Each structure stands twice: as structure tokens, then as C-alpha cells.
Amino acid sequence: MSNPTSLTGLEQKIGLRFRNKDLLFQAFTHRSAIHERAKRGHNERLEFLGDAVLELVVTSFLYTNYPHHNEGDLTAYRSALVNAVTLGSVADKLNFNEMMMLSKGEAKDISRARSSILADAYEAVIGAMYLDQGYDVAKDFISRTLLVKTADIIKQGLYRDAKSLVQEKAQEIVSVTPSYKVLSEEGPDHDKRFTIGIFFEMRK
């Protein structure tokens, strides 16, 4: 849970001392914690703002640094950079998980939902930075923590969606188009988890 000491350590790690500490506290306050212990508002409004700043910074970076890449490629690169998996990974390396104010139930959850919570916190921190010290400071943070991943994402083809890649390889190696079938599903309606089977009908 967030406290002044841990947040000071975080400020040192991200290279920024906040003028308004309340903004930073709020950025790490999940909605679930409001009724249990948080005295400030939760981070969803900051996340909303940070998401917009993040998209502008990433889009501008890609447009400037990859002038010969088409719109479709740039859109794919951006999606790979700003998805919950990538942002959650960056936030985890920054020890955001240790700072989060969560309800007891959420604190026990170590599933994919935690990655989403960390990704939201990353965007909320960007929103807090923007309000506290402006666009250029937020841009610098994004550049240092996220945009440095761009070259590897492009080199390794991580911007390509898995389904398209599998279909391309299936055609290349065995000359068939795979089919898909839902094998099972579990979980509540708002967080369904599906097991999908992929089948390759080999031609004789």
C-alpha cells in the first residue's frame, strides 16, 4: 500500500519529485480501496487523462521516427506499445505493484487482472505528471520507460496479432487455413476465460 516513504522512493526511481503529492497518491489508488482505507479519490480520472497524453506521445514518436512506414504498420506498433500487457510489464519493473492501494480482495488477485490494474496505474501516473508539471515532463517519462521498447517490438514482430501470424505460418508450412473452436469457458460474464482449439486439417 502507498505511503510517503515508498512514494519518495518511487519519485527517485522515475526521476521526478511531485509538487502535489496528492496527485501521486491518487494515481495509485484503485477504485476497490475507496471504502476500505483510501481518503482520496481513485485513479480512474487520472487514467483517462493519462491515456490521452500517452497516445499523443506514442503517435508523435512513431510518426517522426518511422517516416517510411505506412499507417497500418504505425497503428500496429502503437497498439503493441500501449496494450495492457506492455504497460503492465513496464509498471511492474517500476515497482508500481508495491505502491498500489487495493481492497483486500484485489490485493490477493495475481491473475491477468493485476496486469490490467498496473497498466491503468501507469496511465494514471502519466495523467498526474501532466497535471503536476506539464506535457514535456510526461513525455520524458514515457520516452524513458516505454518508447525504448519500440525497436525490439518491431524487430521481434511483437506488433503482429497472434491469429494472423499463425494463419500465415500455416499457409507457408502446411498450405492450410486453420479452423478454431471454443473448447471451454469459465468465469463470470464480465471476465470470461475461453480455451480455444486450433485445428489444421491436413490434405492427403
Side-chain angles (χ1 to χ4, degrees):
M1 185 179 76
S2 301
N3 58 65
T5 302
S6 62
L7 286 180
T8 297
L10 176 63
E11 287 179 314
Q12 293 174 347
K13 189 159 189 174
I14 65 179
L16 177 66
R17 185 174 295 278
F18 271 71
R19 297 165 184 161
N20 183 352
K21 304 293 185 185
D22 284 347
L23 284 172
L24 193 52
F25 272 101
Q26 185 176 346
F28 286 101
T29 302
H30 188 257
R31 171 186 283 275
S32 66
I34 292 296
H35 298 300
E36 289 187 12
R37 52 178 176 256
K39 296 180 180 179
R40 300 170 179 82
H42 56 74
N43 64 6
E44 289 181 4
R45 283 174 55 83
L46 287 175
E47 176 200 340
F48 170 77
L49 177 60
D51 175 69
V53 176
L54 175 64
E55 182 153 336
L56 177 57
V57 171
V58 172
T59 301
S60 179
F61 170 82
L62 293 173
Y63 183 85
T64 301
N65 289 276
Y66 297 90
H68 302 301
H69 294 230
N70 62 43
E71 179 188 1
D73 286 341
L74 295 178
T75 299
Y77 302 161
R78 182 176 63 193
S79 295
L81 282 165
V82 303
N83 66 39
V85 174
T86 303
L87 297 186
S89 174
V90 171
D92 188 50
K93 289 182 179 179
L94 290 169
N95 295 328
F96 278 19
N97 192 49
E98 297 176 9
M99 311 298 151
M100 291 302 304
M101 294 184 68
L102 302 163
S103 68
K104 294 178 181 178
E106 289 288 354
K108 294 178 182 178
D109 186 0
I110 58 173
S111 69
R112 61 177 181 169
R114 179 58 63 85
S115 179
S116 179
I117 287 173
L118 291 178
D120 292 345
Y122 182 83
E123 292 179 334
V125 167
I126 292 171
M129 286 182 173
Y130 175 79
L131 291 177
D132 194 65
Q133 297 186 37
Y135 176 82
D136 288 339
V137 169
K139 177 182 177 182
D140 177 67
F141 171 72
I142 296 167
S143 297
R144 289 186 288 108
T145 60
L146 179 65
L147 295 182
V148 291
K149 293 179 171 290
T150 308
D152 283 342
I153 285 175
I154 295 174
K155 182 178 180 180
Q156 297 177 34
L158 301 179
Y159 60 91
R160 304 174 69 185
D161 69 275
K163 184 176 179 181
S164 296
L165 184 59
V166 167
Q167 292 190 171
E168 179 181 309
K169 289 298 181 182
Q171 286 287 345
E172 176 184 329
I173 298 172
V174 293
S175 300
V176 299
T177 299
S179 59
Y180 306 87
K181 181 179 179 181
V182 177
L183 302 179
S184 65
E185 59 181 85
E186 59 182 333
D189 289 340
H190 69 278
D191 189 25
K192 285 284 187 183
R193 299 186 183 186
F194 299 90
T195 299
I196 308 294
I198 179 170
F199 301 90
F200 301 86
E201 184 178 350
M202 305 299 292
R203 299 171 183 171
K204 296 181 180 180

